[in-house]
């Protein structure tokens, strides 16, 4: 389902992926943990020291989600939230709200479902709140850099395709079928990708997704990803976007969250690291593919950005493999 990084770096330009596909293929998302959680009546669940990529798909009812350091969210059935960096969070009921001081502790049934306020023996009773929650991870060694291209929080409301995927995950997670865990893993990966694709609201936090949704900045981003080896300048990217230089620079910085040349440098270094890690490309070839006129210029830029020269980086990666 995903493009391996070795095949990715051997692309021909005519076959190049779109920017979001490139980032996702390099991230290599995985969904090692998920569970169904059901609740009836007032509840408040607190988790601390999460330190993982957290997601929640509300399947039934309404609830309030408080992520530490972020504004509270009221979620309805069909809403999906993904937060790349979470330290602590609180999930609580809205109908009715929990009384002060209430701390709920889920009970895990033999079917793996976490329940609050409803014993397992009454499993046939419809819960007031049902959610699919979990953590995802990214296999890429450059995950932190790549995640910096994505929003601080992904919120998608009422997207039918997400609801369909979530229903498939829920049904598969509760079934006792062969290869269940593998099917759930792949369905969750698709769910995460669909969430990224659907997060195009104008109020989304800065990042690649918001940039691609902007008709002007999206044109510049696609041009940049299509030809990372080109000696791009801000005026040339502004032309791609159909904006003046100053208007483009301001708009790109506001929507993507970094200046155009910083984004280009980060992307070039990400591609360079993957090519060097594969062991299939010499430094001169990598230098040419990511747009540096000389090996020495590339080596200087790479060392400044990564912290060690490309030859040492490639050797260390080969040893690790």
């Amino acid at each position: 389902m995903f493009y391996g990084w070795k095949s990715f770096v051997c692309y021909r330009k005519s076959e190049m992926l779109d920017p979001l596909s490139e980032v996702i293929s390099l991230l290599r998302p995985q969904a090692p943990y998920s569970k169904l959680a059901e609740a009836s009546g007032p509840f408040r669940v607190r988790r601390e020291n999460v330190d993982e990529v957290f997601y929640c798909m509300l399947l039934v009812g309404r609830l309030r989600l408080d992520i530490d350091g972020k504004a509270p969210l009221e979620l309805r059935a069909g809403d999906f939230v993904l937060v790349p960096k979470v330290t602590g969070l609180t999930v609580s009921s809205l109908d009715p709200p929990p009384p002060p001081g209430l701390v709920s502790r889920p009970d895990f049934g033999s079917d793996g479902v976490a329940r609050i306020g409803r014993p397992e023996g009454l499993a046939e009773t419809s819960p007031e709140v049902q959610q699919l929650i979990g953590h995802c991870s990214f296999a890429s060694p450059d995950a932190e850099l790549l995640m910096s291209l994505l929003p601080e929080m992904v919120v998608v409301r009422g997207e039918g395709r997400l609801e369909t995927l979530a229903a498939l995950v829920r049904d598969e997670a509760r079934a006792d079928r062969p290869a269940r865990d593998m099917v759930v893993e792949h369905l969750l990966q698709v769910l995460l990708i669909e969430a990224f694709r659907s997060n195009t609201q104008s109020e989304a936090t800065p990042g690649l997704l918001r940039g691609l949704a902007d008709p002007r900045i999206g044109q510049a981003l696609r041009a940049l990803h299509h030809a990372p080896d080109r000696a791009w300048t801000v005026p040339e990217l502004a032309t791609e976007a159909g904006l003046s230089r100053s208007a483009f620079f301001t708009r790109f910085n506001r929507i993507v969250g970094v200046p155009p040349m910083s984004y280009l440098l980060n992307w070039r270094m990400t591609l360079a690291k993957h090519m060097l890690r594969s062991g299939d490309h010499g430094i001169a070839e990598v230098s040419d593919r990511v747009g540096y006129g000389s090996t020495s210029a590339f080596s200087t830029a790479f060392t400044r950005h990564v912290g060690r020269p490309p030859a040492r980086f490639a050797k260390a990666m080969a040893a690790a493999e």
Side-chain angles (χ1 to χ4, degrees):
M1 179 166 57
F2 295 103
Y3 293 83
W5 56 266
K6 286 193 176 183
S7 62
F8 164 79
V9 298
C10 297
Y11 59 74
R12 292 180 302 182
K13 285 187 178 179
S14 60
E15 299 173 342
M16 188 175 294
L17 306 172
D18 69 89
L20 179 58
S21 295
E22 287 184 292
V23 171
I24 290 174
S25 67
L26 289 174
L27 274 171
R28 290 183 283 162
Q30 300 172 344
Y33 173 78
S34 66
K35 67 179 178 183
L36 280 173
E38 299 179 346
S40 294
F43 66 90
R44 180 188 291 111
V45 178
R46 172 69 184 172
R47 288 202 58 195
E48 297 181 344
N49 302 318
V50 179
D51 197 28
E52 293 176 292
V53 181
F54 169 82
Y55 65 88
C56 169
M57 179 79 193
L58 192 57
L59 304 173
V60 175
R62 299 171 62 225
L63 59 77
R64 172 174 167 144
L65 175 64
D66 290 273
I67 304 289
D68 289 4
K70 302 185 184 301
L73 289 172
E74 291 190 5
L75 304 182
R76 299 176 179 272
D79 292 350
F80 179 90
V81 178
L82 182 141
V83 187
K85 293 184 180 180
V86 176
T87 54
L89 61 91
T90 302
V91 180
S92 55
S93 57
L94 280 171
D95 304 317
L102 175 66
V103 177
S104 306
R105 298 188 180 278
D107 292 321
F108 288 86
S110 58
D111 56 1
V113 177
R115 294 184 175 87
I116 298 172
R118 183 167 60 90
E120 183 181 359
L122 298 178
E124 66 277 4
T125 305
S126 297
E128 295 173 1
V129 173
Q130 184 183 66
Q131 56 182 320
L132 176 70
I133 59 176
H135 307 295
C136 62
S137 60
F138 302 104
S140 170
D142 306 315
E144 185 173 353
L145 172 62
L146 290 163
M147 286 301 292
S148 71
L149 304 178
L150 300 174
E152 295 178 359
M153 178 183 290
V154 174
V155 181
V156 183
R157 299 188 183 274
E159 177 63 43
R161 289 169 60 87
L162 284 177
E163 293 184 58
T164 300
L165 284 167
L168 289 172
V169 173
R170 177 189 59 198
D171 293 344
E172 190 66 30
R174 302 190 69 169
D176 186 16
R177 301 188 183 103
R180 178 186 64 181
D181 292 343
M182 180 179 295
V183 172
V184 170
E185 174 95 0
H186 288 302
L187 284 173
L188 283 169
Q189 289 174 338
V190 176
L191 179 64
L192 294 174
I193 292 172
E194 188 63 32
F196 283 136
R197 293 200 308 182
S198 301
N199 186 240
T200 59
Q201 305 98 320
S202 60
E203 68 272 16
T205 54
L208 176 63
L209 299 183
R210 188 174 168 190
L212 291 174
D214 184 272
R216 298 297 184 89
I217 300 303
Q219 290 293 334
L221 282 168
R222 292 181 180 91
L224 183 155
H225 277 255
H226 182 70
D229 58 338
R230 179 172 167 178
W232 289 105
T233 63
V234 172
E236 288 175 332
L237 289 170
T239 299
E240 293 286 342
L243 296 168
S244 69
R245 181 188 183 282
S246 59
F248 169 73
F249 184 88
T250 301
R251 187 164 173 168
F252 191 101
N253 206 3
R254 173 174 54 84
I255 291 176
V256 181
V258 295
M261 292 298 101
S262 295
Y263 183 95
L264 176 59
L265 174 63
N266 287 342
W267 184 242
R268 283 174 168 174
M269 292 299 107
T270 299
L271 295 178
K273 289 169 71 175
H274 277 267
M275 282 187 274
L276 290 169
R277 190 177 291 114
S278 74
D280 297 330
H281 310 274
I283 294 176
E285 181 185 359
V286 174
S287 172
D288 181 64
R289 287 198 179 196
V290 297
Y292 284 85
S294 68
T295 302
S296 60
F298 166 68
S299 181
T300 299
F302 188 92
T303 303
R304 184 184 302 116
H305 191 84
V306 178
R308 50 184 162 176
R312 285 178 52 194
F313 177 86
K315 185 177 180 179
M317 293 301 101
E321 288 289 335

